[in-house]
Amino acid sequence: MGRAVAVIGTGQTKHGRRDDLSYPDLVREAVKKAFEDAGITPKDVDGVVYGSMPSMMEGVAYNHFYFADALRTVGKPLFRTETCGSTGQSVAHTAIHWVASGMADIVLVVASEKEHEGDAQATMMTILEPFLMVTIGGAPVAFSLQSREWMGYYHIDEDKAREAASIVSVDSHDGGLNNPLAHIRVKLTKEDVSKAPIITYPVRLYDVCPVSDGACAVIFASEEKAKKICKKPAWVKGIGFRGEEYFIGDSSKAVWQSTIEASKEAYKEAGITNPLKELDVAEVYNPFSYQELMFLECLGLCPPGEAPDYVIKGTFSPGGELPCDPSGGVLCCNPIGAAGLIRVAEAALQVTGKAGEHQVEGAKLALSHAMGGAMQFNGITILGSEL
Amino acid sequence: MAEQKEKPRKVASMGMVPYEMALGPTWTRFFEGFKEKRILGTKCNKCGRVLVPARPFCPRCFEPMEEWVEVAQEGTIVTWSYVNYTYFGVTPDMIPVIGATIKLDGVDCGTGMWTQIGGFDIKDFELVTKKVKVGARVKAVWRRKRQGNFRDIDYWKIIE
């Protein structure tokens, strides 16, 4: 993969409804924290990468122009990378490639969303052309269709899938309670989740992520710089990214090749042969609880069709073999463009022992993941405490 | 800085842009077929797959798909979902709806364009869960007046 790369600092805003700040102020909140965390100044940075959802989300095209000052990009090269929900992974990968190649030593990565300023669902409907793949039900229906396809393909009992999805939601919301920056911080029971109003069946209210405002900044550095600047860097052990065809019916979404192939590539690079055993924590992108079940399988964390059994026996719960989304995950906080980068930042916090109340004790190897597009993209970044 | 008394406020803004998107020859012909109650796919002469909606080129082989095939109007539900919330452009009188991906007989992909299951009281959720299943058979029901767009198929009816 080229030169070794490390995360030397992260910063996140308080996520939620942030009408109190203008959009550049919100971006600055995360950027400032990342610089403070890394203990460097903007003049140490060689370049900046930024990403978000499409312009309609907040009504400003090329919003990285609007944020030029908040991104501290004056006098520096600036890349914009976006792949919808997986944007956060894509911006991280852009920086990793940049540093690994030797063309830069320190790169600032920023991603953000301020969904309350516009209409998130209206924006997401413009991701598909309007005459062939006309969606009914916006983003929730796309991923509900995917979940149902998965349930149908493996003949998974509806009640069993419901129970497992409820556990995923309860665990994530418990994580949110331990994460002071999370948007949704509420105690739920399995019954609260399984009896909640239907949004897009089988998906109910607490199976769905919220609409959030928030930003995340992560600073990547070369081995030489990281060792000089940072006492405890989080090392990039492996990355993987895969795209798929546009038309949703063209390939299986139950056995999702882009998740499978992206994670295989990342595991190979990281030298991981048994991810369930070797990983200590996973920040799986889970805007929908049912979708997380499918991800657990496609990320190779349990056998195909058996995610509900593994979830029900507690494998991915707090204290289980591989705790997932101790931060509360996307179910508790979804500033979409930033959500994939928050997964990277959370993985870095975990392997450097800085995750506070939601720290997984002794975590040394963490997976972060995000998906995006018309069920088209999956990106993985694995971070570790050792080079 | 002295403490600020006023609450930070917002400013209203709206952008509206009309578009005219070219369908190109393949999708023009595909929707012309709808006017005559025909569902047309195209076949890739390299991998042999028939795809609906018709494609100008094979997404996998990158070869032109110039052979037209009229396909069946019956198929099998690959997946479905019951949409029961309102969002941008959707008012309470427009829900619930049942979205689905359908694999038409003789077609090598699922079709997920404006495919709604209907023809019975879908407000009755119990009835929905009884009738609508992955693997259930469905048949296209056309609108009387067709205009050559996705709305021409009114809904997909469950074949009992």
Side-chain angles (χ1 to χ4, degrees), chain A residues 17 19-21 56 59 116 119 121-122 125 129-141 144-153 158 197-204 245 247-251, chain B residues 8-10 13 19 21-23 27 30-31 49 51-55 59-60 78-85 87-88 90 97-101 108-116 125 129 134 149-150:
Chain A
R17 184 165 191 132
D19 295 338
D20 58 316
L21 293 180
M56 288 78 81
H116 288 104
D119 189 316
Q121 209 52 253
M125 285 163 68
E129 44 58 44
F131 49 90
L132 285 168
M133 288 220 293
V134 189
T135 55
I136 317 161
V141 83
S144 301
L145 287 168
Q146 180 175 34
S147 304
R148 170 70 63 189
E149 185 176 334
W150 165 76
M151 287 158 69
Y153 183 79
E158 187 141 333
I198 293 171
I199 303 294
T200 47
Y201 187 77
V203 168
R204 292 171 186 265
E245 294 150 335
F247 286 89
I248 285 168
D250 280 10
S251 50
Chain B
R9 65 185 177 93
K10 294 183 270 184
S13 167
Y19 298 92
M21 299 184 180
L23 288 177
W27 292 329
F30 175 69
F31 284 125
R49 292 187 308 154
L51 304 180
V52 173
R55 311 296 163 83
R60 292 186 192 162
V78 177
T79 181
W80 63 279
S81 178
Y82 188 79
V83 181
N84 194 35
Y85 79 113
Y87 56 100
F88 179 80
V90 175
V97 292
I98 303 169
T101 302
D108 296 296
C109 66
T111 300
M113 42 172 292
W114 201 249
T115 32
Q116 296 194 29
F125 182 67
T129 54
V134 171
N149 62 42
F150 64 84

Side-chain angles (χ1 to χ4, degrees), chain B residues 43-58:
Chain B
K43 185 175 177 178
C44 174
N45 284 322
K46 199 169 175 191
C47 69
R49 292 187 308 154
V50 174
L51 304 180
V52 173
R55 311 296 163 83
F57 60 90
C58 178

Side-chain angles (χ1 to χ4, degrees), chain A residues 13 30 34 47 57 59 74 83-84 94 114 122 151 175 185 192 217 238 251 319 333 336 343 362 380 382:
Chain A
T13 56
M57 193 65 94
V74 177
T83 56
C84 205
T94 305
K114 209 163 188 295
M151 287 158 69
R185 306 188 71 201
D192 293 333
S251 50
C333 177
I336 304 176
R343 308 277 72 73
I380 316 284
I382 296 171

